[in-house]
Amino acid sequence: METIVIKKIGLSELEKLQKIGKQTFSETFAAINSEENMKQYLTEKFSLEKLTDELTNSNSEFYFALLEEKIVGYLKVNFAAAQTELKDKNALEIERIYVLKEHKGNKIGQLLYEKALQVAQKSSLKYIWLGVWEENHGALHFYKKNGFIAFDKHIFRLGDDEQTDLLMKLMLK
């Protein structure tokens, strides 16, 4: 397999981030959610304005997974107040790990996860946490395989659909 490069990105990659974000979210969830809910979510969560706010937030970082300079996946991590829930200064939230459908199974998600782990360790954080839809069995298996344990649940809204996410954590110290 060719070498995958994990690269931190900034505002200059805004439109590329929007494209990979919409594409990977659609590939992952469109078949099991209504078209209307998907459209609403993609419009709200991947608007250029929202992504600009996220990219310029000093407590969030985005990384692309590149295969021969082609974007095949991405990672978003949050520190402190940028976290969607816990807001714990001793934790790192993995908000998103997504890989293009055609590249799933090639260990790209694992490389992105390992980047998040490096970021957390470099910052001497105590744990990593995330939320994952209880029906996303592939992702649940992935995180369990990497040592994450469920500790709570929360509601994730996709349009007018309330879905249950499992909150999972991995202790580092």
Side-chain angles (χ1 to χ4, degrees):
M1 184 174 111
E2 297 89 13
T3 303
I4 302 295
V5 174
I6 307 298
K7 174 188 169 242
K8 187 174 180 182
I9 65 163
L11 207 49
S12 63
E13 288 100 350
L14 175 66
E15 291 178 0
K16 293 175 184 174
L17 176 61
Q18 182 186 48
K19 182 180 181 207
I20 189 77
K22 284 183 171 184
Q23 183 177 350
T24 54
F25 194 87
S26 293
E27 287 177 353
T28 305
F29 299 113
I32 45 182
N33 287 285
S34 76
E35 186 177 338
E36 185 177 305
N37 284 341
M38 286 295 296
K39 185 176 181 182
Q40 180 183 346
Y41 185 85
L42 292 172
T43 299
E44 290 173 7
K45 300 298 182 183
F46 293 98
S47 71
L48 291 176
E49 181 181 31
K50 177 136 178 58
L51 291 175
T52 297
D53 288 345
E54 292 176 356
L55 276 165
T56 56
N57 185 328
S58 61
N59 285 317
S60 293
E61 294 179 1
F62 285 87
Y63 296 85
F64 282 156
L66 302 165
L67 175 62
E68 297 177 358
E69 299 187 33
K70 179 183 186 278
I71 301 165
V72 294
Y74 79 106
L75 164 71
K76 180 186 181 200
V77 295
N78 298 314
F79 301 89
Q83 294 174 52
T84 57
E85 282 187 40
L86 302 182
K87 317 268 191 223
D88 187 337
K89 65 180 173 57
N90 294 307
L92 178 79
E93 175 191 19
I94 296 175
E95 186 177 351
R96 300 183 194 136
I97 292 181
Y98 284 98
V99 176
L100 289 172
K101 191 175 188 176
E102 66 190 87
H103 293 282
K104 286 192 176 173
N106 293 334
K107 307 250 185 259
I108 296 166
Q110 187 67 36
L111 291 171
L112 289 166
Y113 160 70
E114 288 169 6
K115 181 61 181 179
L117 186 60
Q118 289 172 2
V119 170
Q121 290 170 332
K122 184 178 175 189
S123 299
S124 300
L125 299 175
K126 291 183 180 173
Y127 64 96
I128 299 174
W129 74 275
L130 53 89
V132 60
W133 187 27
E134 66 183 356
E135 299 298 324
N136 189 346
H137 302 292
L140 285 168
H141 175 74
F142 174 81
Y143 291 118
K144 286 177 184 175
K145 177 186 80 169
N146 279 292
F148 283 79
I149 298 168
F151 70 93
D152 204 352
K153 295 180 179 183
H154 73 169
I155 298 299
F156 175 85
R157 294 190 65 78
L158 185 78
D160 64 5
D161 187 20
E162 288 189 354
Q163 302 175 352
T164 302
D165 278 0
L166 297 178
L167 299 181
M168 302 181 82
K169 97 168 38 169
L170 174 71
M171 297 305 297
L172 302 175
K173 294 181 177 183

